[in-house]
């Protein structure tokens, strides 16, 4: 059982990394009270009462915990036949085990965009298990035959009743989309994901396919706005991405094949883009041995090389970019490698903002996570080295990550 949160903590001898402006201070201290950042400054730290734990950083960097805005903690296997036999309890235990591993890599907040539910988030919040802050969207919405409809081609039965843990649910037509959106929001979803284009991991569609109509997307956007939530979409091709942006969605996942109109629409709507480069890299390198189906493996080339170029174009255009990994099954251990891939086209400070302050804005948690401002959650990393100088400080936790702190608790 995790230990209770301490009421206070004092960190001394630290360099504080502020991602908002890319500033790294010297000889600083930071004080935590009741799971929040209470104060920080340079020079001599305040005197701590005897019962307040003191963490001597010894010149290490203290920075906000990382945010991964595209995870699927429920999808812990590529073997659909085997996972179909899992009970909800077994699937949940596996998912929460993966969540703990994400926390220990330095991700103190994750946004699950298909699969995680309110029970998983509650278990973490109540300290029943270790894990990052879990911002979940419930099940993604898929049309019949879409990215989330994984029935075999010979299966003529209706989609499942949606009562089992699953990545997605099928909803066709405006009325069904409205009902499904309302149901996910009823169950506590912080956002709604729509699968509006083909995918790499779905065996029966093309990456360039357009899924869902303008009317269905707008219905979901209206429901999200009515619930003070937002819609994010899975899409690669500009045919689907641009349709969604015109319909008012707030965020695009992937976007590897974006065009000039996509960049214009992202900027015009102040929307967010969550590239997920590492999943294609890992699937291309290890997918077959991890059990990926052949029809999925063949589609990787369509998006892998284009993804890096799309990220570079979006970065140069000034698009709101957010860190995401989208790794599935046994490949999730490569989560930190997304930093290395982005470093090919982005400077470290911008990559860090994507995994901290910009991610916080997307999650509507600015000032709460991804920052060292007073009043924010005390979700912190203590690392040896300067990530602003070398982003690989974050990709080698066995060498550089001293401590992960969540809500003031040293994990």
């Amino acid at each position: 059982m995790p230990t209770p949160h301490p009421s206070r903590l004092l960190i001394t001898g630290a360099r504080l990394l502020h991602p908002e402006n890319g500033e790294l201070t010297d000889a600083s201290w930071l004080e935590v009270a009741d799971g929040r950042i209470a104060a920080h400054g340079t020079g001599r730290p305040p005197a701590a009462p005897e019962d307040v734990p003191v963490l001597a950083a010894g010149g290490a960097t203290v920075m906000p915990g990382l945010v991964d805005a595209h995870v699927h903690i429920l999808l812990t296997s590529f073997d659909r036949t085997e996972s179909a036999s899992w009970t909800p309890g077994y699937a949940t235990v596996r998912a929460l085990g993966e969540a703990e591993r994400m926390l220990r890599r330095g991700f103190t907040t994750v946004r699950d965009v298909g699969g995680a539910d309110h029970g998983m988030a509650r278990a973490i919040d109540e300290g029943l298990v270790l894990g990052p802050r879990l911002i979940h969207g419930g099940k993604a919405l898929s049309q019949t035959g879409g990215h989330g409809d994984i029935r075999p081609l010979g299966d003529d039965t209706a989609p499942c009743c949606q009562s089992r843990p699953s990545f997605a649910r099928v909803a066709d037509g405006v009325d069904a989309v409205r009902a499904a959106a309302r149901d996910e929001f009823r169950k506590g979803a912080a956002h709604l994901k729509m699968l509006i284009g083909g995918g790499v991991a779905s065996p029966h569609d093309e990456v360039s396919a357009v899924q869902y109509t303008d009317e269905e997307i707008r219905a979901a956007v209206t429901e999200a706005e009515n619930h003070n939530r937002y819609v994010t979409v899975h899409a690669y091709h500009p045919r689907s991405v641009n349709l969604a942006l015109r319909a008012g969605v707030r965020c695009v996942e992937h976007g590897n094949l974006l065009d000039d109109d996509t960049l214009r629409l992202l900027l015009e709507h102040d929307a967010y883009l969550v590239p997920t480069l590492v999943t294609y890299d890992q699937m291309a390198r290890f997918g077959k041995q991890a059990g990926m189906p052949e029809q999925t493996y063949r589609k990787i080339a369509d998006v892998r090389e284009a993804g890096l170029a799309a990220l570079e174009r979006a970065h140069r255009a000034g698009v709101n970019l957010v860190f995401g990994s989208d790794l599935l099954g046994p490949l999730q251990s490569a989560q930190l490698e997304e930093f290395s891939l982005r470093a090919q086209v982005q400077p470290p400070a911008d990559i860090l903002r994507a995994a901290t302050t910009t991610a916080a804005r997307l999650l509507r948690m600015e000032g709460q996570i991804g920052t060292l401002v007073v009043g924010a959650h005390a979700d912190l990393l203590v690392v040896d080295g300067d990530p602003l100088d070398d982003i690989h400080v974050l990709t080698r936790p066995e060498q550089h990550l001293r401590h992960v702190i969540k809500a003031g608790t040293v994990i």
Side-chain angles (χ1 to χ4, degrees), residues 196-199 205-211 236-240 257 302:
I196 66 160
D205 57 14
E206 299 177 7
V207 168
S208 62
V210 176
Q211 299 170 4
Y236 292 100
H237 198 278
R239 293 177 64 209
S240 51
L257 306 175
D302 294 341

Side-chain angles (χ1 to χ4, degrees), residues 63 66 104-107 333-341 343 381-387 389-404:
M63 60 177 288
L66 302 171
R104 294 189 181 280
R105 293 181 199 118
F107 292 94
S333 60
Q335 191 176 19
L336 291 164
E337 287 304 310
E338 179 75 16
F339 286 105
S340 298
L341 294 170
L381 304 183
V382 182
V383 299
D384 288 319
D386 177 6
D389 179 61
D390 181 8
I391 200 67
H392 296 99
V393 166
L394 300 178
T395 66
R396 305 186 186 105
E398 68 283 355
Q399 297 178 26
H400 299 284
L401 181 58
R402 287 198 200 174
H403 302 290
V404 177

Side-chain angles (χ1 to χ4, degrees), residues 30-90:
L30 185 146
E31 186 176 6
V32 174
D34 298 322
R36 300 269 182 168
I37 297 174
H40 54 68
T42 57
R44 181 184 294 274
E50 290 185 3
D51 60 343
V52 173
V54 177
L55 193 161
T61 298
V62 173
M63 60 177 288
L66 302 171
V67 180
D68 188 334
H70 191 126
V71 305
H72 297 286
I73 65 170
L74 187 67
L75 305 184
T76 57
S77 173
F78 279 116
D79 189 339
R80 290 198 177 103
T81 301
E82 201 264 334
S83 60
S85 69
W86 296 349
T87 65
Y90 179 70

